[in-house]
Amino acid sequence: MNTYNNSIANKGCVVWFTGLSGAGKTTIAQALEQRLIKDKKQVERLDGDVVRQSLTRDLGFSKEDRDTNIERVTFVAKLLARNGVLVLVSFISPYKKHRETARMEVDNFIEVHVNCPLEECERRDVKGMYKKARAGEIQNFTGIDDPYEAPECPELELMTHKCSVDECVEEIVGYLQKKKLI
Ligand SMILES: Nc1ncnc2c1ncn2[C@@H]1O[C@H](COP(=O)(O)OP(=O)(O)OP(=O)(O)O)[C@@H](O)[C@H]1O
Ligand SMILES: [Mg+2]
């Protein structure tokens, strides 16, 4: 417990969505955000695509830059969470090392594995990235020519090829209620 939390009614937490591109991280985080706003909760969303156009727009996808990207996001998430905000972080975050660092830095870290088979993500190909990766137009794409290190013990695992967005959202809401975070 840090000094900031002592005077704040809400605990704050970081819900960290990890999974392959197209697995459904952004979709679920957006729906969860709306659900929490309806309940008048303080919520903020940090999404990979948005953050890479602002806070970390100077970074690329080298190993070093990926480290820095997650480092900065973790720092911002930590500041928000300790001020009572429910922070929804949606990044592919393929490396265990990065997620474990975030877990150590943050109080109330909830790792959500948005789990969807690669074939289904590729079928969805929301951004057309898999097609480009298969064609060799982009390199080091997670799941194709860069590894995705699946979480071993996530707080939640959501199978988005089997469950609807609403079911996924309700599962997270149920978890947050059980942990008295909302
Ligand atoms: N249960 C579900 N949960 C989330 N998305 C689902 C689900 N079922 C189907 N989908 C669809 O899967 C797609 C997921 O795309 P989305 O952009 O959310 O993925 P992402 O994980 O954020 O990918 P990226 O890492 O590239 O940003 C959407 O088209 C969404 O409608
Ligand atoms: Mg996304």
Side-chain angles (χ1 to χ4, degrees), residues 17 24-32 114 158 160 165 168-169 172:
F17 296 92
K25 303 177 295 297
T26 299
T27 304
I28 296 170
Q30 281 173 334
L32 177 62
V114 183
L158 305 173
T160 63
V165 176
C168 293
V169 167
I172 304 168

Side-chain angles (χ1 to χ4, degrees), residues 70-181:
I70 297 289
E71 234 172 69
R72 287 189 202 165
V73 171
T74 301
F75 180 73
V76 174
K78 178 180 170 171
L79 296 189
L80 289 167
R82 76 182 185 187
N83 281 285
V85 178
L86 306 168
V87 188
L88 314 182
V89 177
S90 42
F91 282 72
I92 296 175
S93 42
Y95 306 134
K96 221 172 274 180
K97 182 185 81 174
H98 289 158
R99 300 190 306 262
E100 287 313 308
T101 305
R103 181 185 288 280
M104 280 191 299
E105 287 282 322
V106 168
D107 288 338
N108 302 322
F109 183 83
I110 300 149
E111 188 175 22
V112 179
H113 183 194
V114 183
N115 193 357
C116 183
L118 176 65
E119 307 75 66
E120 172 62 10
C121 292
E122 207 169 342
R123 194 193 60 75
R124 292 176 183 172
D125 207 4
V126 184
K127 301 173 187 166
M129 299 292 271
Y130 285 100
K131 198 166 170 231
K132 284 187 184 165
R134 291 288 186 199
E137 289 168 29
I138 49 171
Q139 277 78 44
N140 305 325
F141 195 70
T142 303
I144 305 297
D145 55 356
D146 210 62
Y148 177 74
E149 301 172 357
E152 278 160 23
C153 293
E155 275 70 15
L156 288 171
E157 184 176 12
L158 305 173
M159 307 283 202
T160 63
H161 56 306
K162 293 182 182 163
C163 301
S164 70
V165 176
D166 285 348
E167 285 168 334
C168 293
V169 167
E170 284 317 307
E171 200 168 331
I172 304 168
V173 168
Y175 183 88
L176 295 174
Q177 286 169 338
K178 194 176 79 187
K179 295 289 175 186
K180 301 201 177 345
L181 292 165

